Amino acid sequence: MVALDENYLPQLQVLLTSLWVNNPDEVIELYFMHSRVSESAMGKVDVQCREYGYRLVPVPVPSSFFKDAPVTKRYPQEMYYRLLAAHLLPDTLDRVLYLDPDILVINPLRPLWELDMQGKLFAAASHTGVTELANNVNRLRLGTDSDYFNSGVLLIDLRACRESILPEEVFAFAAEHSKGLILPDQDVLNALYGKQILQLDDAVWNYDARNYNSYFIRSSGEADLDWVMEHTVILHFCGKAKPWKPGYLYRYGILYKHYMQLAKRYQA
């Protein structure tokens, strides 16, 4: 599942290429949640999906669903999609994997897809770095005692979420805490459902591409480049600096550019 607007379509196409190259035998259904992606733009994604043998399922989300939600420029309705996926996707689905578009998939995803979620609503990773400072700050800020989980990679138990997540509760929390939320969708996820999230290893399932040195030090030198290429499945290009923009300085920018070229080649 993805949720984005037309500005991120080029990055989605790179993500899909990396997924296809490194998971060649998988049958993929791509649920594309959106509010204003044109038919022509969606058609380009459909062509790519057909080329890869994927099934594209556009999921237009009506604004009426969010009539009671705080929706502003800072709080667009898209921020709620991953939290409320259970109420927006077909009832026939029991599980979905949400991925941000600024991601590369560089190894097989199936072990994550088949993960025993142990009754939790979500499975996600936290980006703690070498110290617990970020976790401690976010616990204090949100009044929680769980890790602060990144919402860019979420395995979602849709059946459990349909029973446990109420849209009106999500909207009410967002409205009540609107002035104090820094990363709104991520903050709401952690504040309301942090105890219902199964911890994933971020070095494998949501590797922050900015933080090679942190992973290397944290692993006592084990998580070098060779380790990452063999074991890491999801590389996440978090933060404002992006590898498709000029001046990207972090280590994995060249790998992203490689998949950019593959995406162009396979769509030529």
Side-chain angles (χ1 to χ4, degrees):
M1 179 188 99
V2 296
L4 47 96
D5 59 27
E6 290 190 24
N7 292 325
Y8 264 88
L9 285 181
Q11 288 70 51
L12 173 61
Q13 293 183 304
V14 175
L15 165 59
L16 292 176
T17 298
S18 71
L19 177 62
W20 177 67
V21 168
N22 295 297
N23 294 261
D25 300 319
E26 297 292 355
V27 177
I28 304 291
E29 290 186 342
L30 176 65
Y31 289 83
F32 189 148
M33 302 175 71
H34 70 96
S35 60
R36 49 183 178 272
V37 175
S38 66
E39 289 187 13
S40 61
M42 190 67 72
K44 294 179 181 179
V45 180
D46 188 42
V47 168
Q48 182 183 18
C49 285
R50 290 176 184 272
E51 181 70 23
Y52 294 169
Y54 296 170
R55 176 173 175 249
L56 174 65
V57 184
V59 183
V61 181
S63 298
S64 58
F65 185 88
F66 300 95
K67 60 182 177 61
D68 297 322
V71 175
T72 64
K73 183 176 181 180
R74 185 164 182 264
Y75 294 83
Q77 69 178 48
E78 286 82 359
M79 70 169 259
Y80 299 105
Y81 289 177
R82 70 197 81 178
L83 290 175
L84 301 178
H87 301 283
L88 298 170
L89 294 174
D91 292 340
T92 53
L93 298 178
D94 293 333
R95 175 176 290 203
V96 72
L97 176 62
Y98 170 83
L99 297 176
D100 271 352
D102 56 348
I103 274 174
L104 292 178
V105 177
I106 61 173
N107 275 303
L109 270 175
R110 179 155 291 275
L112 177 59
W113 180 250
E114 295 179 344
L115 181 70
D116 179 1
M117 295 182 66
Q118 304 174 24
K120 301 292 188 180
L121 301 180
F122 304 95
S126 58
H127 290 153
T128 58
V130 179
T131 71
E132 282 288 306
L133 178 60
N135 257 341
N136 291 335
V137 169
N138 284 308
R139 288 186 188 118
L140 180 63
R141 184 170 61 84
L142 298 174
T144 63
D145 55 12
S146 57
D147 282 353
Y148 185 76
F149 294 97
N150 181 272
S151 62
V153 178
L154 287 176
L155 185 62
I156 306 173
D157 184 334
L158 294 172
R159 182 181 298 178
C161 286
R162 289 186 191 107
E163 298 177 357
S164 301
I165 296 179
L166 301 177
E168 54 269 28
E169 290 183 356
V170 172
F171 299 156
F173 182 89
E176 181 180 354
H177 299 274
S178 60
K179 293 183 180 179
L181 300 180
I182 298 175
L183 300 171
D185 59 327
Q186 198 159 274
D187 284 352
V188 174
L189 170 73
N190 282 275
L192 291 180
Y193 308 110
K195 293 183 178 180
Q196 290 298 316
I197 299 176
L198 180 67
Q199 178 87 51
L200 298 176
D201 182 354
D202 62 318
V204 177
W205 299 114
N206 193 347
Y207 186 107
D208 187 335
R210 300 169 296 183
N211 291 338
Y212 172 83
N213 289 336
S214 294
Y215 289 107
F216 186 79
I217 294 170
R218 192 173 76 186
S219 66
S220 299
E222 181 183 8
D224 58 11
L225 283 172
D226 290 335
W227 187 96
V228 170
M229 296 308 298
E230 182 178 355
H231 295 94
T232 295
V233 177
I234 294 173
L235 270 178
H236 192 178
F237 293 87
C238 305
K240 293 183 178 180
K242 299 298 183 184
W244 57 87
K245 295 181 178 179
Y248 187 79
L249 299 176
Y250 296 104
R251 190 176 302 259
Y252 297 101
I254 188 66
L255 182 62
Y256 192 90
K257 290 183 182 296
H258 168 68
Y259 282 101
M260 287 177 64
Q261 292 304 313
L262 288 183
K264 293 176 183 178
R265 183 185 307 168
Y266 291 132
Q267 295 170 60

